[in-house]
Amino acid sequence: MKYTALDLVLLPNQSFTKTMVEYNKKLPDTVLQLSDEHTIPHLSISMCRVASDRIDELLGKLQDFLEVIDLSELLSLNVPSIYQHNIKTVGWNLDLISPLKHLHYSMASLMKSYHFDQAKENNDFTVIHPQMPSSGIDYLNLFFTKYAFDNYQPHITLGQGSTQVCEEWLNKNIEFDRIALFHMGTGCTCEKLLWETKISNN
């Protein structure tokens, strides 16, 4: 069975994306190299590893749900604290406001029903980053038990390095303009865009 690693995300608007790419460059030892065309800065809503022949079915259900809910309160989200994972990976935590929590629970509940959590290799990712070829396998396996639902913490990963680079964004707002589905690369990066829609169109 062939599987595909998917990430449903909120995308910062063009101005914020460009700024995040520049901030990523301030981390001299970062493994994660962000850009506005691949390895795109994002806020994950939910992810899963789905049988490749069921992607269209899942996407249709995602679209049906997203067409009937108001996402306008997600156009701007506050940064209350700095995100840190495995000591060296840094970024920004975003406020888990009620509309975002509701969206996560709904999308995670749907995507969990398609999820395969026993992967041991990286062949479900579209890009294998040489410096992190296995990163993301275990994270995706454990997503629904360790990182989703009551454990969900919305964040944007900037890269690997000092938290000082992130500090000046504290208590500021990040603006988003699209919700999108990506085929992930290793490291849970957003690489191949499969579908997107503007938040303001909902």
Side-chain angles (χ1 to χ4, degrees):
M1 178 74 70
K2 180 174 174 55
Y3 291 92
T4 300
L6 300 179
D7 201 358
L8 182 70
V9 305
L10 290 177
L11 293 177
N13 67 24
Q14 186 175 13
S15 175
F16 276 86
T17 295
K18 182 177 180 181
T19 302
M20 289 174 188
V21 170
E22 292 303 314
Y23 268 71
N24 171 259
K25 294 176 182 177
K26 295 181 180 181
L27 299 171
D29 300 319
T30 186
V31 174
L32 187 70
Q33 304 286 337
L34 298 177
S35 82
D36 58 359
E37 295 182 356
H38 54 84
T39 316
I40 299 168
H42 64 279
L43 186 164
S44 291
I45 298 167
S46 185
M47 57 183 65
C48 72
R49 183 186 290 105
V50 60
S52 299
D53 60 1
R54 300 189 71 193
I55 293 175
D56 288 345
E57 176 187 328
L58 173 59
L59 178 55
K61 291 183 178 181
L62 293 173
Q63 290 171 324
D64 287 345
F65 180 88
L66 293 169
E67 284 176 359
V68 298
I69 63 171
D70 180 10
L71 299 176
S72 59
E73 291 185 69
L74 305 182
L75 288 166
S76 182
L77 295 172
N78 188 257
V79 177
S81 59
I82 293 172
Y83 170 74
Q84 206 162 3
H85 179 70
N86 291 341
I87 303 175
K88 292 184 178 181
T89 299
V90 299
W92 301 283
N93 287 318
L94 283 298
D95 260 345
L96 184 55
I97 61 173
S98 292
L100 180 56
K101 185 175 183 178
H102 174 69
L103 179 63
H104 164 71
Y105 265 80
S106 299
M107 298 295 91
S109 296
L110 173 58
M111 296 175 80
K112 183 181 179 182
S113 66
Y114 286 83
H115 184 55
F116 174 69
D117 63 0
Q118 300 296 318
K120 297 180 180 179
E121 299 181 1
N122 61 13
N123 51 15
D124 51 320
F125 295 98
T126 187
V127 173
I128 310 302
H129 295 285
Q131 293 180 297
M132 46 182 180
S134 299
S135 176
I137 297 173
D138 289 339
Y139 188 95
L140 192 50
N141 282 342
L142 297 171
F143 178 74
F144 292 102
T145 57
K146 191 173 180 179
Y147 302 107
F149 303 114
D150 289 346
N151 297 320
Y152 177 60
Q153 176 56 62
H155 64 272
I156 295 176
T157 300
L158 180 63
Q160 289 74 37
S162 171
T163 58
Q164 290 182 339
V165 175
C166 307
E167 288 178 353
E168 65 182 86
W169 288 53
L170 286 174
N171 300 312
K172 295 182 179 180
N173 279 32
I174 294 176
E175 296 179 5
F176 300 86
D177 62 0
R178 289 166 292 156
I179 187 168
L181 185 69
F182 279 88
H183 188 175
M184 288 196 290
T186 56
C188 299
T189 60
C190 282
E191 301 296 344
K192 182 180 179 181
L193 179 65
L194 302 178
W195 170 83
E196 68 175 350
T197 187
K198 292 183 177 179
I199 294 176
S200 58
N201 284 349
N202 285 267

